[in-house]
């Protein structure tokens, strides 16, 4: 592509979270000279989300704005503008402020939290997804209310940890029979059950919320749990409702179906981050990854493809971490296709790792308090190295020394 035609191109990025910001930055870092416009629905300067359930929530940080000089990078920021639709044939994005033309569109609208039915507008019911959510919850924690957390997933555990640290009494209610039921197999999630009680939280499993009343959560067995505030953490879904009628193909979870270069079914439209799935040759299936690292990695592929380079296909080893109840939990890979599960260390102890293998090759691992296992394991997954299962189960042996 000639310098002149590139300089005339307009890239519009919808969504000012990690994926959107990193796409805009990657375009400039890789030498794109055209117009880059970043459109965000929230009025705040673009910010990072992980600190919301930790430092921001506890009042240890005012915010978590990205350390990016948008002006110096010549990235146009349009904040407080919600995207309403897109018309790929006309190359126009519809926003609250009217239509916006583009040559290339990048969809990075992320995910939105799933709401608990019947709690819309009920006072004292909170979500934790945005900076405004965290700001609303800070005084709630400061007043040391009885808090009920609905959902024992990653976000529920992280919020419960922060609430306990603030001196609140915390009850976590979970519809499944264990924490992280949707994310981890039963034998791996089971040891995490005791973390709640050890930290001073009450965990009630097989507990469905019937309704929320002022000052209480009523469960389906008729029992009532005192609640000065209720925080709902029952998952998130791709924020793609605004794409209705666009013709852009969506998947079973209403996520944008992207290819291995993160291109959508519409010409000159890409999708990256929590709102998009991509085909993984490594795992032989389409992956929908709702984690920070995916929003950090994908934009480099998008930028390279927009610039007309031939990027390597997007097939990362998914990675995420969680800090909960005094433990640092990390996960890399995708364990669905594993044929063997091996443990390094005792799950009753403070530090242990679960390894998932397929045909003696590591496909995923979960490390609790063993960051070196995670770092080495991630590289072994990427390389597809054959492992020695017998050596692997020795927690004193470095993972990289447990190869076949």
């Amino acid at each position: 592509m000639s310098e002149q035609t590139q300089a005339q191109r307009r890239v519009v990025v919808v969504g000012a979270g990690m994926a959107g910001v990193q796409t805009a930055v990657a375009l400039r870092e890789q030498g794109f000279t055209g117009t880059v416009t970043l459109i965000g629905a929230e009025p705040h300067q673009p910010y990072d989300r992980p600190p919301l359930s930790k430092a921001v929530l506890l009042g240890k940080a005012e915010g978590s704005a990205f350390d990016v000089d948008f002006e110096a990078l010549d990235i146009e920021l349009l904040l407080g503008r919600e995207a309403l639709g897109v018309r790929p044939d006309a190359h126009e994005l519809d926003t609250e402020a009217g239509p916006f033309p583009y040559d290339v569109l990048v969809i990075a609208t992320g995910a939105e939290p799933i709401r608990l039915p019947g709690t819309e507008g009920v006072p004292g019911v909170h979500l934790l997804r945005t900076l405004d959510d965290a700001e609303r919850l800070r005084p709630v924690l400061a007043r040391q209310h009885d808090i009920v957390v609905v959902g024992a997933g990653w976000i529920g555990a992280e919020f419960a940890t922060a609430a306990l640290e603030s001196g609140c009494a915390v009850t976590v209610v979970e519809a499944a029979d264990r924490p992280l039921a949707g994310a981890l197999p039963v034998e791996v999630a089971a040891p995490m059950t005791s973390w709640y009680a050890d930290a001073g939280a009450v965990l009630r499993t097989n507990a469905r919320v019937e309704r929320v009343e002022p000052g209480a959560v009523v469960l389906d067995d008729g029992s009532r749990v005192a609640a000065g505030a209720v925080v709902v953490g029952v998952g998130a879904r791709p924020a793609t409702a605004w794409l209705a009628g666009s013709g852009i193909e969506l998947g079973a979870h209403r996520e944008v179906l992207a290819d291995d270069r993160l291109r959508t079914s519409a010409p000159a439209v890409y999708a990256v981050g929590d709102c998009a799935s991509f085909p993984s040759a490594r795992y032989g299936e389409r992956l929908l990854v709702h984690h920070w690292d995916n929003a950090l990695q994908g934009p480099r592929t998008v930028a390279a493809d927009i610039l007309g380079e031939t990027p390597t296909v997007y097939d990362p080893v998914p990675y995420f971490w969680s800090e909960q109840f005094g433990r640092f939990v990390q996960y890399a890979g995708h364990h669905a296709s594993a044929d063997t599960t091996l443990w390094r260390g005792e799950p009753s102890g403070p530090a242990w790792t679960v390894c998932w293998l397929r045909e003696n090759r590591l496909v995923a691992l979960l490390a609790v308090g063993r960051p070196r296992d995670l770092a080495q394991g991630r590289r072994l997954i990427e390389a597809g190295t054959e492992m020695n299962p017998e050596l692997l189960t020795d927690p004193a042996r470095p993972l990289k020394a447990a190869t076949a």
Side-chain angles (χ1 to χ4, degrees), residues 13-390:
V13 182
V14 189
M18 170 63 89
V21 167
Q22 289 299 325
T23 299
V25 170
L27 281 163
R28 290 296 186 230
E29 284 180 345
Q30 294 182 31
F32 182 72
T33 57
T35 304
V36 178
T37 302
L38 185 62
I39 297 178
E42 293 181 54
H44 310 289
Q45 277 290 113
Y47 61 87
D48 204 4
R49 290 190 193 280
L52 296 184
S53 61
K54 305 172 184 77
V56 176
L57 191 59
L58 293 169
K60 295 176 181 175
E62 282 309 307
S64 53
F66 290 114
D67 185 18
V68 174
D69 190 335
F70 294 101
E71 201 174 336
L73 289 171
D74 193 22
I75 294 168
E76 180 185 20
L77 267 186
L78 297 177
L79 302 173
R81 293 194 191 186
E82 195 171 347
L84 302 177
V86 59
R87 287 170 286 121
D89 292 346
H91 276 236
E92 280 193 331
L93 173 76
D94 289 320
T95 74
E96 293 172 314
F100 212 86
Y102 66 82
D103 294 307
V104 178
L105 181 69
V106 181
I107 298 168
T109 43
E112 56 198 5
I114 296 170
R115 295 172 184 275
L116 203 59
T119 60
E120 205 75 42
V122 175
V125 178
H126 299 262
L127 298 165
L128 180 53
R129 183 74 187 178
T130 68
L131 183 59
D132 288 341
D133 292 338
E135 296 291 356
R136 278 190 289 268
L137 277 163
R138 266 163 69 167
V140 173
L141 295 192
R143 287 196 293 270
Q144 299 187 333
H145 279 295
D146 288 341
I147 290 181
V148 173
V149 179
V150 183
W154 301 112
I155 194 73
E158 288 180 8
F159 178 79
T161 300
L164 290 166
E165 197 176 317
S166 298
C168 299
V170 178
T171 301
V172 181
V173 297
E174 167 58 52
D177 60 356
R178 62 190 188 277
L180 293 164
L184 296 173
V186 61
E187 70 274 15
V188 178
M192 299 175 173
T193 303
S194 63
W195 296 0
Y196 287 76
D198 292 348
V202 175
L203 173 62
R204 296 186 59 166
T205 54
N206 296 306
R208 291 186 176 277
V209 175
E210 185 72 34
R211 64 185 182 279
V212 178
E213 296 176 350
V217 171
V218 182
L219 302 179
D220 60 357
D221 63 0
S223 60
R224 298 165 66 84
V225 185
V230 179
V231 176
V232 179
V234 293
R237 60 166 67 94
T240 57
W242 66 280
L243 293 171
S246 67
I248 293 171
E249 202 178 338
L250 302 182
H253 301 283
R254 310 302 295 163
E255 85 281 13
V256 181
L257 292 177
D259 69 5
D260 59 10
R261 306 282 170 85
L262 300 178
R263 300 172 294 200
T264 73
S265 61
V269 179
Y270 295 79
V272 64
D274 288 8
C275 66
S277 65
F278 55 89
S280 169
R282 185 193 312 278
Y283 291 108
E285 62 180 287
R286 182 168 280 278
L287 299 183
L288 174 60
V289 180
H290 278 211
H291 295 299
W292 185 91
D293 192 66
N294 178 49
L296 178 68
Q297 306 285 352
R300 294 172 198 149
T301 297
V302 172
D305 204 70
I306 290 172
L307 278 151
E309 296 166 14
T310 309
T312 51
V313 299
Y314 188 62
D315 196 5
V317 173
Y319 166 73
F320 70 90
W321 78 99
S322 176
E323 293 175 81
Q324 50 182 273
F325 309 119
R327 291 169 173 84
F328 186 43
V329 184
Q330 295 170 284
Y331 177 97
H334 181 65
H335 63 265
S337 62
D339 54 35
T340 308
T341 305
L342 298 174
W343 296 74
R344 289 167 59 78
E346 289 299 321
S348 56
W352 45 274
T353 297
V354 180
C355 298
W356 286 275
L357 286 80
R358 185 179 67 228
E359 297 172 357
N360 283 347
R361 285 179 168 78
L362 201 60
V363 291
L365 79 161
L366 177 92
V368 177
R370 291 181 65 98
R372 190 170 294 158
D373 275 6
L374 191 288
Q376 293 178 11
R378 194 176 181 183
R379 288 194 287 271
L380 291 164
I381 295 169
E382 282 171 354
T385 308
E386 192 170 341
M387 308 299 294
N388 180 321
E390 206 172 308

